[in-house]
Amino acid sequence: MNKLLENAKKYSYQKFRLTLPEYQRFLYRNILESKDKIVGIYGSRGVGKTTLMLQVSQELGFARDEILYISCDHLMFSGVSLHAFVEQVYNYGVKCVLIDEIHEAKNFEQELKTIYDLLDIKIIFSGSSAVQLTNTSFARRYAMFKLPVLSLREFTELTLDISLDSIEIEDIVSNHENISNDIIHKIGDSKILKLFSDYILYGAFPYYFVNKESYYQKLTDSINTILYTDIAIIYKVSAANIELLKKLLLTICLSKPLELSIESLSKTVGVSKVTLYKYIDYLHRAELLRHVTYEGKRFKSMQKPDKLYLSNTNLFPALCNSSDTGIIRETFFASVVSSKYSIYYVSKGDFLVDEKYIFEIGGKNKNFKQIKDIKNSFVIADDIEMGFKNKIPLWLFGFLY
């Protein structure tokens, strides 16, 4: 264990020497100010969990020898008890441990519980979205923060090096004209529709700003790692069946959401309906897929199919290069809105959000025919900078976080 500790300290020192981005994701202040002994950050690969942990660690007030970074996917931690290791470093005066890729550690839930119960030490950990890190026991003991992909607001801040406020959905529906005008004024000569168009293609992951030329290769690599490492290991899916998961993703990428009945989808992919439901759940947890249910299913058994979307719009050019504008619009809306609010699809309109608002998604000429006489209903229009009354620009929902 002493040799492991020596190697871990060297690895940690190298990590802390890295130059970190100045830009801080929207959860930075929440995590920094959390008083919880154990704090968890979970999200898809590439959203910036490690960077966020390291940025927070710089402001916690610990001396260099009182804080340690480890990554559970490193070979040195293969077969090592997480609790035994943390107890050892605690005995040597470490007061805070950053634990990356915690889902790679064996029995990590029980190990974390033991650390929580027996040691007076600060833990900040990150984990894959593929793991159910938000179960009841986790939520009760630890502060859990989900880090989604970059929002349009964050992408705009990074692109233009400016600061912009996030907004609530209540503000959008009640005051969107003034809010849109304010944002357009703040971005100056830049065009919000151009920024939105860029975001749809390559704005979801921070590593775009590190190397723009290799963005899609990095994104493809991340998708494969999620499939062949996270899902394969966590859910014990064989390599042959991972290929079926890829086929499922490709089918969803190329299809319109309500064209996908479970029966036809199971035949296309070549698996039973029971297996298909499991695969959909795996991909949903791993944030490659977004599963939106019909609102009526909350109250009674209905035979309505669910809508299946890719998790974010950047996945389209990476997986199938689909150019169906309607699907891309709905995918964007579902991606950003579901990060903060409940979302269902409905018979009249497209989505019910926060149990209150009906939204119909379309182009700039979209009318109110499908949602006329429905209370709290709005047309969300693409290709417009400014809205009017109950017509709201689609891009504005990218400022929810």
Side-chain angles (χ1 to χ4, degrees), residues 181-231:
N181 187 62
D182 185 49
I183 293 170
I184 290 168
H185 175 74
K186 285 181 178 178
I187 65 174
D189 294 334
S190 300
K191 299 297 183 183
I192 192 62
L193 294 183
K194 173 63 167 62
L195 288 162
F196 183 45
S197 176
D198 291 344
Y199 172 83
I200 291 295
L201 291 174
Y202 46 74
F205 296 95
Y207 50 77
Y208 167 76
F209 294 95
V210 177
N211 190 330
K212 299 177 182 180
E213 288 73 24
S214 66
Y215 180 72
Y216 286 117
Q217 182 59 55
K218 174 81 172 179
L219 181 53
T220 301
D221 291 344
S222 292
I223 293 169
N224 285 329
T225 303
I226 291 169
L227 291 171
Y228 287 99
T229 301
D230 296 349
I231 291 178

Side-chain angles (χ1 to χ4, degrees), residues 5 17 42 53 60 69 72 109 111 165 173 177 192 205 214 251 276 299 309 325 331 343 390:
L5 178 56
R17 289 185 64 188
Y42 67 105
M53 283 201 304
L60 289 175
Y69 168 91
C72 294
E109 292 189 41
E111 298 277 306
D165 294 329
V173 299
E177 293 176 52
I192 192 62
F205 296 95
S214 66
T251 303
L276 180 62
F299 311 113
Y309 297 97
T325 306
T331 299
I343 183 169
N390 281 32

